[in-house]
Amino acid sequence: MSNHQKALEALTAIHGVRGAMIATGDDGIVVAEAVMEDVDGGALAALASSLSHRLEAAAAAAGGGRPGFLHLQATAGALLVCPAGPGLLLVVIAERGVNVGRARLEMARVAEIIT
Amino acid sequence: MSDDIRTLTAELAADPRSLVFLELGEALRQAGRLEPAAKVVVQGLTRYPDLPEGHDLYARILADQGDLEGAFDEWDMTLRLDSTHPGAHKGLGFLFFKADDLHSALRHLETAATHRPDDKQLAGVIARVRARLQEAQAVDTAAPVDPLVITPASSVVSFPASESKAESASPESVGEPAPNPLEDDGLLLVDAAGLRLLGAMKGAGGSETADRVAAELAGVSKEAGRAVRLLQLGEWQSLALEASGAHFFLVPPTPETMLLAIRDPAVPMARVALGAARALEAARRWLERGS
């Protein structure tokens, strides 16, 4: 098992996390993934990258600086994204009841390992 | 010191891993000894960070101490751990009521009431909220549409670091006319085409940036909708971004519009969310009146 894969397993061990992946930030290509079968990893990576870019542009337009942790909350779950070193994104998809605080802390730890 | 507190303190000392910290914290709170109560509960939560009852109790202690923002954070955490927790719904309902966000208050209070049908205090508050909502609707119908202008705090890129009027509502403010949450620096309302409906924002050097931000936000809304549909996550409710220079919180007042709240990064995201939630209801009312 690669280091990336091990790092992702730590995230999927959190109750409520349906999957985690590392993707390239520029084009949303999957670098490593640990997602459930019902999650389309390729689409998830592309969407996370695209959403991240959009928000980066909005933050830049507002003078808000470098983007960090992103939390998209929906009625049935959440998408969490954070930068993970140069050109990479760490992406987590979670169920509604997930402890976002814990997932966020673990994502920061994993992002440091990847970096 | 009462016998109960003495006994519970001895029990906790004998077994620091025991859940008796909850009883001790509650006993201290009820005795009005809020500082030691907070200390006991915080220590307990370091051992049991995922215990909803612990976060709920800590929230009630913070509320008793007047730290409403802290209480909000703790009840928010409680619901993340147990989305049906009646105590947290009741607490958040009271906080939203104090902040005059009556729709959110009613939603939380009614959820709490489904689990606590015999709670008379809760039923009384729900009745008051419903009455206030009816009054507000009557005023809305009669009032003319006011042009609302949001002015920037300064000509340099700096975001509000202080609490918004909605967030700083105190227990004493209940019953007073609530401030208009849309008259607040750091709020921007945009439509689906990326056009600004309300708000202003200046970048470094004093240049107007609100229209550029609004244009970028149109893409964000579409992308968020696409992501949650593909991932089968239902409808998107909010989008939070922690950037190095600001905290951004986005909510959709309607499917065609989006409200952005921007705060200094020193302001906790949960508090940004609280302010945005209140502004969301005001934005909906403004859109309804303006259409």
Side-chain angles (χ1 to χ4, degrees), chain A residues 100-112:
Chain A
V100 176
R102 171 177 277 194
R104 184 182 180 283
L105 290 174
E106 192 62 28
M107 285 174 76
R109 194 185 70 80
V110 169
E112 274 211 18

Side-chain angles (χ1 to χ4, degrees), chain B residues 219-276:
Chain B
V220 171
S221 179
K222 287 175 189 166
E223 213 63 58
R226 201 174 298 153
V228 297
R229 275 196 302 277
L230 186 123
L231 298 170
Q232 299 180 334
L233 294 177
E235 296 294 319
W236 83 274
Q237 296 178 309
S238 65
L239 188 50
L241 174 69
E242 297 173 16
S244 57
H247 277 173
F248 297 79
F249 197 86
L250 290 153
V251 283
T254 65
E256 297 79 30
T257 58
M258 190 152 53
L259 183 71
L260 168 66
I262 308 180
R263 288 284 182 273
D264 185 274
V267 180
M269 189 60 88
R271 278 165 56 186
V272 184
L274 177 61

Side-chain angles (χ1 to χ4, degrees), chain B residues 72-152:
Chain B
F72 178 88
D73 289 347
E74 287 301 316
W75 274 318
D76 183 56
M77 175 60 78
T78 307
L79 289 185
R80 288 176 195 276
L81 297 167
D82 176 3
S83 61
T84 64
H85 197 284
H89 279 293
K90 183 177 177 180
L92 286 174
F94 277 108
L95 291 185
F96 278 116
F97 179 65
K98 286 178 192 296
D100 208 38
D101 180 347
L102 301 177
H103 289 284
S104 299
L106 190 59
R107 193 173 64 244
H108 282 291
L109 293 170
E110 286 181 337
T111 304
T114 60
H115 299 279
R116 292 183 178 174
D118 299 328
D119 190 329
K120 288 179 182 170
Q121 183 201 23
L122 188 55
V125 175
I126 288 172
R128 284 174 63 192
V129 173
R130 284 181 179 146
R132 289 270 300 274
L133 270 172
Q134 285 180 343
E135 287 170 20
Q137 281 165 359
V139 169
D140 276 356
T141 307
V145 177
D146 296 326
L148 293 169
V149 179
I150 300 168
T151 53

Side-chain angles (χ1 to χ4, degrees), chain B residues 39 169 261:
Chain B
K39 193 174 172 186

Side-chain angles (χ1 to χ4, degrees), chain A residues 16-99:
Chain A
V17 170
R18 285 171 57 194
M21 67 163 52
I22 300 162
T24 58
D26 284 345
D27 42 18
I29 292 172
V30 178
V31 174
E33 64 178 318
V35 297
M36 291 173 76
E37 282 178 10
D38 63 335
V39 177
D40 181 342
L44 173 58
L47 281 167
S49 166
S50 177
L51 185 60
S52 213
H53 276 174
R54 296 277 189 187
L55 273 172
E56 190 174 348
R66 191 168 23 86
F69 184 73
L70 184 163
H71 174 190
L72 172 61
Q73 182 63 52
T75 48
L79 179 67
L80 313 173
V81 183
C82 75
L88 293 179
L89 293 175
L90 183 58
V91 184
V92 162
I93 180 169
E95 293 166 2
R96 179 153 184 95
V98 72
N99 182 336

